Amino acid sequence: MKTLYKNTIALYLIGICCMLIFATSCKKDKEGQGAPSITRIRTLVRPGDSNLTPLDSTVTSGDVGVTYVIEGANLKSTNKVDFNGTSADLNTALFSDNSIVVTIPTTATWINQTGKLTLSNSFGTTSFNFSIKQPAPAISDLSQFAGNPGDVITITGLRFDQVSSVKFGTTEAKVISSTSTELKVTVPTGALGAISVTTPGGTGTGPYVSYDGVVVPILLPFGFSHLFYDDGITAGYDFNFGGANADINSTEMVKRGTHSIKLTYTGNYAGYAVGSNNAVDLSDKTYVKFSIYGTAGTEGKVVKVALDDFDNRNVSVVLHAGKWTNYVVPLDRFQNASHPGKPASLSWIGFQELSGNAPETIYLDDIGVY
């Protein structure tokens, strides 16, 4: 009788386990087995926080490239999520029946948007009011990085929609025309410093340039504190050596104004410099600025730019063929172990051919310090 009693209990327990397993299996089978619904969208982490600090905050709009959590029901079987018609990449490992984690595609548009998030599975589709925030504007180039009051310059970049302000340093400029990628503005009186563009998405400054393609891009400010060459040599002189010929009044290829310097290297490692009759105090200056147009065959070639000393105070820049390239180099980079520290004053800026590529022709314009 004891044996029969024990067997009965064992069979009873086995039956209960089977029922629990079956119930659990059925529950899993039913996950996502219905039309989806959305109750809210919340943040996953604090935007820009490298420590991924949780930030559980309900939102009705989002930024492209940022990850959010969609909460609701029957979400585990989600097979499509669209933000204003742009499909997001889905990682089903991040799905449960009540929440899924998705990132707004960087290609999602905020222009003429529907303001809808659409989510689908094999049982149906649901929509939720959710808009894409306009990203901050980005400046990629300027038609010129110096000018006189009243000059019209073109700013190119991205996300200039609904522009509300353009500034040169702290001075407001007048916007003549605007598109999503291009602004035409009038240079204001006293224009000096970084150019900034403000839209509903925020404020962007620029452009940023790398003088050799390796160093981290540096903000290119507008204007000069002192010009060595504008449309001509500014109260100064020039000289060359080793097979360099310079035409300081060339009209063949001009960055700004009516003239540029046509510099032809007839000998390898030849050099040219433009100077000031009075040394320029650099104590309140930050950068050397200049523009170079590279002719055919100059792409990737190197020119040494020197400040009063070709041996100890120089930086190498990379040329680009078929276009004007704007360069900005911090003054504190013109030093070495034997001549440490930022130079205190400046009498001339030199350009030496450094690739053994002669004969070679380049054009120089807008040479000075900021």
Side-chain angles (χ1 to χ4, degrees):
M1 293 295 292
K2 289 183 179 179
T3 301
L4 179 60
Y5 177 72
K6 290 181 179 178
N7 288 340
T8 301
I9 293 176
L11 290 172
Y12 178 74
L13 292 174
I14 291 172
I16 291 176
C17 288
C18 289
M19 291 176 65
L20 290 173
I21 292 171
F22 179 75
T24 301
S25 176
C26 288
K27 183 179 179 181
K28 288 183 177 178
D29 288 342
K30 290 180 180 179
E31 285 186 338
Q33 302 300 298
S37 63
I38 300 173
T39 55
R40 71 165 181 156
I41 300 173
R42 66 174 177 85
T43 54
L44 176 64
V45 295
R46 195 179 303 278
D49 190 339
S50 60
N51 295 319
L52 301 182
T53 304
L55 182 65
D56 186 354
S57 175
T58 299
V59 292
T60 57
S61 62
D63 296 293
V64 296
V66 175
T67 301
Y68 296 88
V69 179
I70 301 173
E71 294 184 351
N74 296 322
L75 301 180
K76 189 174 181 63
S77 60
T78 297
N79 54 34
K80 188 175 184 182
V81 176
D82 285 351
F83 290 91
N84 294 312
T86 301
S87 295
D89 291 331
L90 303 181
N91 182 354
T92 57
L94 303 177
F95 288 9
S96 73
D97 209 39
N98 299 114
S99 68
I100 64 173
V101 178
V102 294
T103 300
I104 299 179
T106 56
T107 53
T109 182
W110 68 94
I111 302 171
N112 299 322
Q113 61 178 305
T114 62
K116 293 287 185 180
L117 180 156
T118 303
L119 184 150
S120 303
N121 65 14
S122 57
F123 294 90
T125 299
T126 186
S127 294
F128 193 81
N129 291 330
F130 190 83
S131 59
I132 306 298
K133 297 177 184 178
Q134 180 174 338
I139 300 172
S140 59
D141 202 6
L142 310 177
S143 59
Q144 58 192 62
F145 65 96
N148 300 312
D151 285 355
V152 176
I153 73 166
T154 301
I155 305 171
T156 53
L158 297 171
R159 304 182 291 272
F160 293 155
D161 309 86
Q162 303 178 76
V163 58
S164 59
S165 174
V166 176
K167 291 183 178 180
F168 290 67
T170 58
T171 307
E172 191 79 28
K174 180 181 179 181
V175 178
I176 298 174
S177 65
S178 66
T179 69
S180 182
T181 58
E182 181 180 283
L183 301 173
K184 290 189 181 298
V185 302
T186 302
V187 176
T189 300
L192 190 67
I195 290 184
S196 63
V197 173
T198 300
T199 70
T203 298
T205 57
Y208 288 78
V209 295
S210 174
Y211 57 80
D212 64 358
V214 177
V215 300
V216 175
I218 301 162
L219 179 62
L220 176 65
F222 186 88
F224 289 89
S225 298
H226 180 89
L227 272 164
F228 282 72
Y229 183 90
D230 186 356
D231 257 352
I233 296 174
T234 307
Y237 59 89
D238 66 339
F239 65 88
N240 55 57
F241 63 86
N245 297 319
D247 176 3
I248 64 171
N249 296 306
S250 175
T251 58
E252 296 176 0
M253 195 66 63
V254 178
K255 172 65 176 175
R256 185 176 66 94
T258 56
H259 298 99
S260 68
I261 300 172
K262 180 180 181 180
L263 178 57
T264 301
Y265 297 113
T266 58
N268 291 334
Y269 312 108
Y272 170 78
V274 58
S276 173
N277 288 329
N278 298 305
V280 178
D281 179 12
L282 298 181
S283 61
D284 60 345
K285 313 298 190 297
T286 306
Y287 303 111
V288 173
K289 292 173 54 184
F290 51 92
S291 294
I292 301 179
Y293 183 95
T295 58
T298 62
E299 182 65 36
K301 303 303 179 182
V302 178
V303 165
K304 178 196 291 184
V305 180
L307 305 187
D308 288 355
D309 187 338
F310 277 104
D311 295 321
N312 299 293
R313 292 197 180 277
N314 63 81
V315 167
S316 295
V317 304
V318 175
L319 301 179
H320 299 288
K323 65 178 183 179
W324 281 101
T325 301
N326 300 323
Y327 298 85
V328 56
V329 187
L331 287 167
D332 59 12
R333 303 206 178 168
F334 291 87
Q335 60 176 299
N336 61 17
S338 62
H339 288 68
K342 169 186 165 182
S345 62
L346 180 60
S347 294
W348 54 261
I349 302 174
F351 302 85
Q352 184 178 10
E353 196 281 320
L354 209 61
S355 294
N357 193 47
E360 177 181 270
T361 297
I362 61 175
Y363 295 84
L364 305 173
D365 205 349
D366 281 344
I367 306 169
V369 292
Y370 172 88

